[in-house]
Amino acid sequence: MGSVFWLMGFCIWVCIFTFCFISVNSESVGREKTVRGSVLIDGKSAIGRIDSDFICVTLDWWPPEKCDYGTCSWDHASLLNIDLNNNIFLNAVKAFTPLKIRLGGTLQDKVIYETDDHWKPCIPFSKNTSELFGFTEGCLPLSRWDELNTFFDKSGALVVFGLNALSGRSIMPDGSAVGAWDSTNAESFMRYTVKKGYPIYGWELGNELSGSGIGVRVAADQYASDTISLQSIVQDIYKIIEAKPLIIAPGGFFDANWFKEFISNTTKSLDVVTHHIYNLGPGVDEHLVEKILNPSYLDGEADTFRRLQSTLKNSVSSAIAWVGEAGGAYNSGHNLVTNAFVFSFWYLDQLGMASAYDTKTYCRQTLIGGNYGLLNTTTFIPNPDYYSALLWHRLMGRNVLSTSFSGMKKIRAYAHCAKHSQGITLLLINLDNNNTVETKVSFNSTRTLQHKHKSHSHRTKIIRLRRRKKKSETTREEYHLTARDGNLLSQTMVLNGKILSLNSSGHIPPLEPLYVNSSEPITVAPFSIVFVHISNVVLPACRREGTID
């Protein structure tokens, strides 16, 4: 009988222990942890300097019949058919004041322009799978060019136009395009543009014809010769105009040997070297989210930026680097990934990384169209990346600061001098779903604050922010971006707990910060993005010709 009681007691003890064990673990599983971290910013000198209008977007030529993997995602978002009278569209562009817009894409090398030299009927693209890129030639009517320029004028956009670089060439069976560029039609179109007084920020020659090319390729020496021809034409057409457009090329994927040869042969003719980025692979890839949230995968693209920067530094060319087109996942992206909140992790990381390697401008594919537009293709309502781009444009200044984070591998950290104000703007991206990060900021600089130090030594010091009497100097501004209901595939952006949505007139909502005591650590929630404007610090790197950037 005693053994029975002992057995019953043992069972009760086991049950109690098991219940306690399960209870403890059920509390710990899914519980968010807090990780301490630190950001170190080197304020002695800038590591790069971007354009003040760094944010750039593209408008493409694809007609509604453009389909990928059985999905047709372009609708009426082409240069030829987009509704230029849409009020949301206009307001979205105006909010940047100004926004660079690159007009181009795959079909630009099959576009003919309705000018005096063009005697054929001006007909649009039509689908034909036996043709290069799957479509026939298409024509840009001058009446449509007039309409586009009316829109650009209203919106204040800066226009980069991609010219047809295959005109006059013969395409061989192996995909090589031989012969010189026939500039006749392009020159006539450019003269019309100048005659009408339409401002062009830059003329770009060709799309994805460099290196191995996409569908077709042009040799580097021939491309250089054609770029020199373009520069000569621009000089002639704009000879009585003081501000001349930039000469931009090649608008293709980086190939070290090809780019080196091309740059070395265009030292006096080329202003901007453009390259394209689709480092996530095809839009049909089922592992896109996994790649976006993987810091090691994101780091892989740094090699392209590094090698192009080195190529330019080691040349005698004065040309600068742009990302001319970047959609992340090629073939129109992936619905509910490249147009959802999760893509802001990739996009903002790309902006930060490109800046750190002295890239001057970054053009996102697309403003609208496909599954990677900043605006919804049919409703024009902003997708999450639109707000990410707008915050960057308003907060991140031109001078780029060397920035490092210690504490957790899944935090991405970038810092710039603040835009149009004193201090710095810090961008923190948390790719982790379980860890909240609390971080302090310190500065590695000989001078950081607006007070004198007794020591005159130029040795490096770690100097923390100090409290000030004025509100603007005792607090910092924070912009916390999260997905609606925590769903990374949501197409709704939340700023500081408030859903961002257009008002009844179709205007972009105000992007208002939280004000946080400067002495408090910066808190970055799981799967969130934070812009932090810290005004109570002055760094030598943020002074240029006696002014604050």
Side-chain angles (χ1 to χ4, degrees), residues 34-109:
T34 298
V35 176
R36 303 293 191 277
S38 60
V39 175
L40 177 61
I41 298 172
D42 189 340
K44 293 189 294 296
S45 60
I47 59 172
R49 185 168 169 83
I50 64 173
D51 289 341
S52 59
D53 39 37
F54 174 76
I55 296 293
C56 169
V57 294
T58 67
L59 284 174
D60 214 310
W61 294 97
W62 290 119
E65 294 77 21
K66 160 68 170 172
C67 305
D68 301 281
Y69 319 117
T71 301
C72 307
S73 59
W74 287 86
D75 199 17
H76 286 70
S78 162
L79 284 162
L80 296 174
N81 57 34
I82 194 168
D83 180 7
L84 299 174
N85 294 314
N86 185 287
N87 195 46
I88 298 174
F89 189 40
L90 178 62
N91 291 333
V93 177
K94 287 177 68 174
F96 283 83
T97 59
L99 179 64
K100 276 181 187 154
I101 301 181
R102 178 232 183 197
L103 312 181
T106 300
L107 293 185
Q108 80 178 52
D109 290 313

Coordinates of all heavy atoms in Angstrom, one line a residue, residues 34-109:
T34 N 15.7 41.6 -25.5 CA 16.3 42.9 -25.7 C 17.8 42.8 -25.8 O 18.4 42.2 -24.9 CB 15.9 43.9 -24.6 OG1 14.5 44.1 -24.6 CG2 16.6 45.3 -24.8
V35 N 18.4 43.3 -26.8 CA 19.8 43.2 -27.0 C 20.4 44.6 -27.0 O 19.9 45.5 -27.6 CB 20.1 42.5 -28.4 CG1 21.6 42.5 -28.6 CG2 19.5 41.1 -28.4
R36 N 21.5 44.7 -26.2 CA 22.2 46.0 -26.2 C 23.1 46.1 -27.3 O 23.8 45.1 -27.7 CB 22.9 46.1 -24.8 CG 22.1 46.0 -23.6 CD 21.1 47.2 -23.5 NE 20.5 47.2 -22.2 CZ 19.4 46.6 -21.8 NH1 18.9 45.7 -22.6 NH2 18.9 46.7 -20.6
G37 N 23.3 47.2 -27.9 CA 24.2 47.4 -29.0 C 24.8 48.8 -29.0 O 24.4 49.7 -28.2
S38 N 25.7 49.1 -29.9 CA 26.3 50.4 -30.0 C 26.6 50.7 -31.4 O 27.1 49.9 -32.2 CB 27.6 50.5 -29.1 OG 28.5 49.6 -29.5
V39 N 26.4 52.0 -31.8 CA 26.7 52.5 -33.1 C 27.9 53.4 -32.9 O 27.9 54.3 -32.1 CB 25.5 53.3 -33.7 CG1 26.0 53.9 -35.1 CG2 24.4 52.3 -33.9
L40 N 28.9 53.2 -33.7 CA 30.1 54.1 -33.8 C 30.2 54.8 -35.1 O 30.2 54.1 -36.1 CB 31.4 53.3 -33.5 CG 32.7 54.1 -33.6 CD1 32.7 55.2 -32.5 CD2 33.9 53.2 -33.4
I41 N 30.2 56.1 -35.1 CA 30.2 56.9 -36.3 C 31.5 57.7 -36.3 O 31.8 58.4 -35.4 CB 29.0 57.9 -36.4 CG1 27.7 57.1 -36.4 CG2 29.1 58.8 -37.6 CD1 26.4 57.9 -36.3
D42 N 32.2 57.6 -37.4 CA 33.5 58.3 -37.6 C 33.1 59.7 -38.2 O 32.7 59.8 -39.4 CB 34.4 57.6 -38.5 CG 35.8 58.2 -38.5 OD1 35.9 59.4 -38.2 OD2 36.8 57.5 -38.9
G43 N 33.3 60.7 -37.4 CA 32.9 62.1 -37.9 C 34.0 62.9 -38.5 O 33.8 64.1 -38.7
K44 N 35.2 62.3 -38.6 CA 36.3 63.2 -39.1 C 36.2 63.6 -40.5 O 36.5 64.8 -40.9 CB 37.6 62.4 -38.9 CG 38.0 62.1 -37.4 CD 39.4 61.6 -37.3 CE 39.5 60.2 -37.9 NZ 38.7 59.2 -37.2
S45 N 35.8 62.7 -41.4 CA 35.7 63.0 -42.8 C 34.7 62.1 -43.4 O 34.4 61.0 -43.0 CB 37.0 62.9 -43.5 OG 37.5 61.6 -43.4
A46 N 34.1 62.6 -44.5 CA 33.0 61.8 -45.2 C 33.7 60.7 -46.1 O 34.8 60.9 -46.6 CB 32.2 62.7 -46.1
I47 N 33.1 59.6 -46.2 CA 33.6 58.5 -47.0 C 32.9 58.5 -48.4 O 33.3 57.7 -49.3 CB 33.4 57.1 -46.4 CG1 31.9 56.8 -46.1 CG2 34.2 57.0 -45.1 CD1 31.6 55.4 -45.6
G48 N 31.9 59.3 -48.6 CA 31.3 59.5 -49.9 C 30.4 60.7 -49.9 O 30.2 61.3 -48.8
R49 N 30.0 61.1 -51.0 CA 29.1 62.3 -51.1 C 28.1 62.1 -52.3 O 28.5 61.9 -53.4 CB 30.0 63.6 -51.4 CG 29.2 64.9 -51.4 CD 30.1 66.1 -51.4 NE 29.4 67.3 -51.7 CZ 28.7 68.0 -50.8 NH1 28.7 67.6 -49.5 NH2 28.1 69.2 -51.1
I50 N 26.9 62.0 -51.9 CA 25.8 61.7 -52.9 C 25.2 63.0 -53.4 O 25.4 64.1 -52.9 CB 24.7 60.9 -52.2 CG1 24.0 61.6 -51.1 CG2 25.3 59.6 -51.7 CD1 22.8 60.9 -50.5
D51 N 24.4 62.9 -54.5 CA 23.7 64.0 -55.0 C 22.6 64.4 -54.0 O 22.0 63.5 -53.3 CB 23.0 63.7 -56.4 CG 24.1 63.5 -57.5 OD1 25.2 64.0 -57.3 OD2 23.7 62.9 -58.5
S52 N 22.2 65.7 -54.0 CA 21.1 66.1 -53.1 C 19.8 65.5 -53.6 O 18.9 65.3 -52.8 CB 21.0 67.6 -53.1 OG 20.8 68.1 -54.4
D53 N 19.7 65.1 -54.9 CA 18.6 64.4 -55.4 C 19.0 63.0 -55.7 O 18.8 62.5 -56.8 CB 18.0 65.1 -56.7 CG 19.1 65.7 -57.6 OD1 20.2 65.0 -57.7 OD2 19.0 66.7 -58.1
F54 N 19.5 62.3 -54.7 CA 20.0 60.9 -54.8 C 19.0 60.0 -55.2 O 19.2 59.1 -56.0 CB 20.6 60.5 -53.4 CG 21.1 59.1 -53.3 CD1 22.3 58.7 -53.9 CD2 20.3 58.2 -52.6 CE1 22.7 57.4 -53.7 CE2 20.7 56.9 -52.5 CZ 21.9 56.5 -53.0
I55 N 17.7 60.2 -54.7 CA 16.6 59.2 -55.0 C 16.2 59.5 -56.5 O 15.9 60.6 -56.9 CB 15.4 59.4 -54.1 CG1 15.8 59.1 -52.7 CG2 14.3 58.6 -54.6 CD1 16.1 57.6 -52.4
C56 N 16.2 58.4 -57.2 CA 15.8 58.4 -58.6 C 14.9 57.2 -58.9 O 15.0 56.2 -58.2 CB 17.0 58.3 -59.5 SG 16.8 58.1 -61.3
V57 N 13.9 57.4 -59.8 CA 13.0 56.3 -60.2 C 13.0 56.1 -61.7 O 13.4 57.0 -62.4 CB 11.6 56.5 -59.6 CG1 11.6 56.5 -58.1 CG2 11.1 57.9 -60.1
T58 N 12.4 55.0 -62.1 CA 12.3 54.8 -63.6 C 10.9 54.7 -64.0 O 10.0 54.4 -63.3 CB 13.0 53.5 -64.0 OG1 12.3 52.4 -63.5 CG2 14.5 53.4 -63.5
L59 N 10.7 55.1 -65.3 CA 9.4 54.9 -66.0 C 9.8 54.0 -67.2 O 10.7 54.4 -67.9 CB 8.7 56.1 -66.4 CG 8.0 56.9 -65.3 CD1 7.4 58.2 -65.8 CD2 6.8 56.0 -64.7
D60 N 9.1 53.0 -67.5 CA 9.5 52.0 -68.5 C 8.6 52.1 -69.7 O 7.6 52.8 -69.7 CB 9.5 50.6 -67.9 CG 10.6 49.7 -68.4 OD1 10.7 49.6 -69.7 OD2 11.3 49.1 -67.6
W61 N 8.9 51.2 -70.7 CA 8.2 51.2 -72.0 C 7.2 50.0 -72.1 O 6.5 49.9 -73.0 CB 9.2 51.2 -73.1 CG 10.0 52.4 -73.3 CD1 11.3 52.5 -72.9 CD2 9.7 53.6 -74.0 NE1 11.8 53.8 -73.2 CE2 10.8 54.4 -73.9 CE3 8.5 54.0 -74.6 CZ2 10.8 55.7 -74.5 CZ3 8.5 55.3 -75.2 CH2 9.7 56.1 -75.1
W62 N 7.3 49.1 -71.1 CA 6.5 47.8 -71.3 C 5.0 48.1 -71.5 O 4.4 48.7 -70.7 CB 6.7 46.9 -70.1 CG 8.1 46.3 -69.9 CD1 9.0 46.5 -68.9 CD2 8.7 45.5 -70.9 NE1 10.1 45.8 -69.1 CE2 10.0 45.2 -70.3 CE3 8.4 44.9 -72.1 CZ2 10.9 44.3 -70.9 CZ3 9.3 44.1 -72.7 CH2 10.5 43.8 -72.2
P63 N 4.4 47.5 -72.5 CA 3.0 47.5 -72.7 C 2.2 46.5 -71.8 O 2.9 45.7 -71.2 CB 2.8 47.2 -74.2 CG 4.0 46.3 -74.5 CD 5.1 46.8 -73.6
P64 N 0.9 46.6 -71.8 CA 0.1 45.6 -70.9 C 0.4 44.2 -71.2 O 0.2 43.3 -70.4 CB -1.3 46.0 -71.2 CG -1.3 47.4 -71.7 CD 0.0 47.6 -72.4
E65 N 0.8 43.9 -72.5 CA 1.0 42.5 -72.9 C 2.3 41.9 -72.3 O 2.6 40.7 -72.5 CB 1.1 42.4 -74.4 CG -0.2 42.7 -75.1 CD -0.5 44.2 -75.2 OE1 0.4 45.0 -75.0 OE2 -1.7 44.6 -75.3
K66 N 3.1 42.7 -71.6 CA 4.3 42.2 -71.0 C 4.0 41.3 -69.8 O 3.4 41.7 -68.8 CB 5.2 43.4 -70.5 CG 6.2 43.0 -69.4 CD 7.4 42.1 -69.9 CE 8.5 42.1 -68.9 NZ 9.5 41.1 -69.2
C67 N 4.3 40.0 -69.9 CA 3.9 39.0 -68.9 C 5.1 38.2 -68.4 O 6.0 37.9 -69.3 CB 2.8 38.1 -69.3 SG 1.3 38.9 -69.9
D68 N 5.2 37.8 -67.2 CA 6.3 37.0 -66.7 C 5.7 35.9 -65.8 O 4.9 36.2 -64.9 CB 7.2 37.9 -65.8 CG 7.9 39.0 -66.6 OD1 8.8 38.7 -67.4 OD2 7.4 40.1 -66.5
Y69 N 6.1 34.7 -66.1 CA 5.6 33.6 -65.2 C 4.1 33.5 -65.2 O 3.5 33.1 -64.2 CB 6.2 33.6 -63.8 CG 7.6 34.1 -63.8 CD1 8.0 35.3 -63.2 CD2 8.7 33.3 -64.4 CE1 9.3 35.7 -63.1 CE2 10.0 33.8 -64.4 CZ 10.3 34.9 -63.7 OH 11.6 35.4 -63.7
G70 N 3.4 33.9 -66.3 CA 2.0 33.8 -66.4 C 1.3 34.9 -65.8 O 0.0 35.0 -65.7
T71 N 2.0 35.9 -65.3 CA 1.4 37.1 -64.7 C 1.7 38.4 -65.5 O 2.9 38.6 -65.8 CB 1.9 37.3 -63.2 OG1 1.6 36.1 -62.5 CG2 1.2 38.5 -62.6
C72 N 0.7 39.2 -65.8 CA 0.9 40.4 -66.5 C 0.7 41.6 -65.5 O -0.5 41.9 -65.2 CB -0.1 40.5 -67.7 SG -0.1 39.0 -68.7
S73 N 1.8 42.2 -65.2 CA 1.7 43.1 -64.0 C 2.0 44.6 -64.4 O 2.1 45.4 -63.6 CB 2.8 42.7 -63.0 OG 4.1 42.8 -63.6
W74 N 1.9 44.9 -65.7 CA 2.3 46.3 -66.1 C 1.1 47.1 -66.4 O 1.1 48.4 -66.2 CB 3.2 46.2 -67.4 CG 4.6 45.8 -66.9 CD1 5.0 44.5 -66.8 CD2 5.6 46.7 -66.5 NE1 6.3 44.5 -66.3 CE2 6.7 45.8 -66.1 CE3 5.8 48.0 -66.4 CZ2 7.9 46.3 -65.7 CZ3 7.0 48.5 -65.9 CH2 8.0 47.7 -65.6
D75 N -0.1 46.5 -66.8 CA -1.3 47.3 -67.0 C -1.0 48.5 -67.9 O -0.2 48.5 -68.8 CB -1.9 47.7 -65.7 CG -3.4 48.0 -65.8 OD1 -4.0 47.7 -66.9 OD2 -3.9 48.7 -64.9
H76 N -1.5 49.7 -67.5 CA -1.2 50.9 -68.2 C -0.3 51.8 -67.4 O -0.6 52.9 -67.0 CB -2.5 51.7 -68.5 CG -3.3 51.0 -69.6 ND1 -4.0 49.8 -69.4 CD2 -3.6 51.4 -70.9 CE1 -4.6 49.5 -70.5 NE2 -4.4 50.4 -71.4
A77 N 1.0 51.3 -67.3 CA 2.0 52.1 -66.6 C 3.2 52.4 -67.4 O 4.2 52.8 -66.9 CB 2.5 51.2 -65.4
S78 N 3.0 52.3 -68.7 CA 4.1 52.6 -69.7 C 4.2 54.1 -69.9 O 3.2 54.9 -69.7 CB 3.8 51.9 -71.0 OG 4.5 52.4 -72.1
L79 N 5.3 54.5 -70.4 CA 5.5 55.9 -70.8 C 4.5 56.3 -71.9 O 4.1 57.5 -72.0 CB 6.9 56.1 -71.4 CG 8.0 56.2 -70.4 CD1 9.4 55.9 -71.1 CD2 8.1 57.5 -69.7
L80 N 4.0 55.3 -72.6 CA 3.1 55.6 -73.7 C 1.6 55.6 -73.3 O 0.8 56.2 -74.1 CB 3.3 54.6 -74.8 CG 4.6 54.5 -75.5 CD1 4.7 53.4 -76.5 CD2 4.9 55.8 -76.3
N81 N 1.3 55.1 -72.2 CA -0.1 55.0 -71.8 C -0.5 55.3 -70.4 O -1.7 55.3 -70.1 CB -0.7 53.6 -72.2 CG 0.1 52.5 -71.5 OD1 0.5 52.7 -70.3 ND2 0.2 51.4 -72.1
I82 N 0.4 55.7 -69.6 CA 0.1 56.0 -68.2 C -0.8 57.3 -68.1 O -0.6 58.2 -68.9 CB 1.4 56.2 -67.3 CG1 1.0 56.2 -65.8 CG2 2.1 57.4 -67.7 CD1 2.2 56.0 -64.9
D83 N -1.7 57.3 -67.1 CA -2.6 58.4 -67.0 C -1.9 59.6 -66.3 O -1.7 59.6 -65.1 CB -3.8 58.0 -66.1 CG -4.8 59.2 -65.9 OD1 -4.6 60.2 -66.6 OD2 -5.7 59.0 -65.1
L84 N -1.5 60.6 -67.1 CA -0.7 61.7 -66.7 C -1.6 62.7 -65.9 O -1.0 63.7 -65.3 CB 0.0 62.4 -67.8 CG 1.1 61.5 -68.6 CD1 1.6 62.2 -69.8 CD2 2.2 61.1 -67.6
N85 N -2.9 62.5 -66.0 CA -3.8 63.4 -65.3 C -4.2 62.9 -63.9 O -5.0 63.6 -63.2 CB -5.0 63.7 -66.1 CG -4.7 64.4 -67.4 OD1 -4.0 65.4 -67.4 ND2 -5.2 63.9 -68.5
N86 N -3.6 61.8 -63.5 CA -4.0 61.2 -62.2 C -3.4 62.1 -61.1 O -2.2 62.4 -61.1 CB -3.4 59.8 -62.1 CG -3.9 59.1 -60.8 OD1 -3.3 59.5 -59.7 ND2 -4.8 58.2 -60.9
N87 N -4.2 62.6 -60.2 CA -3.8 63.5 -59.2 C -2.8 62.9 -58.2 O -1.9 63.6 -57.7 CB -5.0 64.1 -58.4 CG -4.7 65.3 -57.6 OD1 -4.0 66.2 -58.1 ND2 -5.2 65.4 -56.4
I88 N -3.0 61.6 -57.8 CA -2.1 61.0 -56.9 C -0.8 60.9 -57.5 O 0.3 61.1 -56.8 CB -2.7 59.6 -56.5 CG1 -4.0 59.7 -55.9 CG2 -1.7 58.8 -55.7 CD1 -4.7 58.3 -55.6
F89 N -0.7 60.5 -58.8 CA 0.6 60.4 -59.5 C 1.3 61.7 -59.4 O 2.5 61.7 -59.1 CB 0.3 60.0 -60.9 CG 1.5 59.6 -61.7 CD1 2.5 58.9 -61.2 CD2 1.6 60.0 -63.1 CE1 3.6 58.5 -62.0 CE2 2.7 59.7 -63.8 CZ 3.7 58.9 -63.3
L90 N 0.7 62.8 -59.7 CA 1.3 64.1 -59.7 C 1.8 64.5 -58.3 O 2.9 64.9 -58.1 CB 0.3 65.2 -60.2 CG 0.8 66.6 -60.2 CD1 2.0 66.8 -61.1 CD2 -0.3 67.6 -60.5
N91 N 1.0 64.3 -57.3 CA 1.3 64.6 -55.9 C 2.5 63.7 -55.4 O 3.4 64.2 -54.7 CB 0.1 64.4 -55.0 CG -0.9 65.4 -55.2 OD1 -0.7 66.5 -55.7 ND2 -2.2 65.1 -54.9
A92 N 2.5 62.5 -55.8 CA 3.6 61.6 -55.4 C 5.0 62.1 -55.9 O 6.0 62.0 -55.2 CB 3.3 60.2 -55.9
V93 N 5.0 62.6 -57.1 CA 6.3 63.1 -57.7 C 6.6 64.4 -57.1 O 7.8 64.7 -56.7 CB 6.2 63.2 -59.2 CG1 7.5 63.8 -59.8 CG2 5.9 61.8 -59.8
K94 N 5.6 65.3 -56.9 CA 5.9 66.6 -56.4 C 6.4 66.6 -55.0 O 7.1 67.5 -54.5 CB 4.6 67.4 -56.4 CG 4.2 67.9 -57.8 CD 2.9 68.6 -57.8 CE 3.0 70.0 -57.1 NZ 1.7 70.8 -57.2
A95 N 6.1 65.5 -54.2 CA 6.5 65.5 -52.8 C 8.0 65.4 -52.6 O 8.5 65.8 -51.6 CB 5.9 64.2 -52.2
F96 N 8.7 65.1 -53.7 CA 10.2 65.0 -53.6 C 10.9 66.3 -53.9 O 11.9 66.6 -53.4 CB 10.7 63.9 -54.6 CG 10.6 62.5 -54.0 CD1 9.4 61.9 -54.2 CD2 11.6 61.9 -53.4 CE1 9.2 60.6 -53.8 CE2 11.4 60.6 -52.9 CZ 10.2 59.9 -53.1
T97 N 10.3 67.1 -54.8 CA 10.8 68.4 -55.1 C 12.4 68.6 -55.1 O 12.8 69.3 -54.2 CB 10.2 69.5 -54.3 OG1 10.5 69.3 -52.9 CG2 8.7 69.6 -54.5
P98 N 13.2 68.0 -56.0 CA 12.7 67.3 -57.2 C 13.0 65.8 -57.1 O 13.7 65.3 -56.2 CB 13.6 67.9 -58.2 CG 14.9 68.1 -57.5 CD 14.6 68.4 -56.1
L99 N 12.4 65.1 -58.0 CA 12.6 63.6 -58.1 C 13.2 63.4 -59.5 O 12.7 63.8 -60.5 CB 11.3 62.9 -58.0 CG 11.3 61.4 -58.2 CD1 12.2 60.7 -57.1 CD2 9.9 60.8 -58.2
K100 N 14.4 62.7 -59.5 CA 14.9 62.3 -60.8 C 14.1 61.1 -61.4 O 13.8 60.2 -60.7 CB 16.4 61.8 -60.6 CG 17.4 62.9 -60.6 CD 18.8 62.3 -60.4 CE 19.9 63.3 -60.2 NZ 21.0 62.8 -59.5
I101 N 13.8 61.2 -62.7 CA 13.1 60.1 -63.3 C 13.9 59.7 -64.6 O 14.1 60.5 -65.5 CB 11.6 60.6 -63.7 CG1 10.9 61.0 -62.5 CG2 10.9 59.4 -64.4 CD1 9.4 61.4 -62.8
R102 N 14.2 58.5 -64.6 CA 14.9 57.9 -65.7 C 13.9 57.2 -66.7 O 13.2 56.3 -66.2 CB 16.0 56.9 -65.3 CG 16.8 56.3 -66.4 CD 16.8 54.8 -66.3 NE 17.6 54.1 -67.3 CZ 17.4 52.8 -67.6 NH1 16.6 52.1 -66.9 NH2 18.2 52.3 -68.6
L103 N 13.8 57.7 -67.9 CA 12.9 57.1 -68.9 C 13.7 56.1 -69.7 O 14.5 56.4 -70.5 CB 12.4 58.2 -69.8 CG 11.8 59.5 -69.1 CD1 11.3 60.5 -70.1 CD2 10.8 59.1 -68.1
G104 N 13.3 54.8 -69.5 CA 14.1 53.8 -70.2 C 13.8 52.4 -69.7 O 12.9 52.2 -68.9
G105 N 14.5 51.4 -70.2 CA 14.3 50.0 -69.9 C 14.6 49.2 -71.2 O 15.0 49.7 -72.2
T106 N 14.3 47.9 -71.1 CA 14.6 47.0 -72.2 C 14.2 47.5 -73.6 O 15.0 47.4 -74.5 CB 14.0 45.6 -71.9 OG1 14.5 45.1 -70.6 CG2 14.3 44.6 -73.0
L107 N 13.0 47.9 -73.7 CA 12.4 48.3 -75.0 C 12.9 49.6 -75.5 O 12.6 50.0 -76.7 CB 10.9 48.3 -75.0 CG 10.2 46.9 -74.8 CD1 8.7 47.0 -74.9 CD2 10.8 45.8 -75.8
Q108 N 13.7 50.4 -74.7 CA 14.2 51.7 -75.2 C 15.1 51.5 -76.5 O 15.1 52.4 -77.3 CB 15.0 52.4 -74.2 CG 16.4 52.0 -74.0 CD 17.1 52.8 -72.9 OE1 16.6 53.0 -71.8 NE2 18.3 53.4 -73.3
D109 N 15.7 50.3 -76.6 CA 16.6 50.1 -77.8 C 15.8 49.5 -79.0 O 16.4 49.1 -80.0 CB 17.7 49.1 -77.4 CG 18.7 49.7 -76.4 OD1 19.2 50.8 -76.7 OD2 19.0 49.0 -75.4

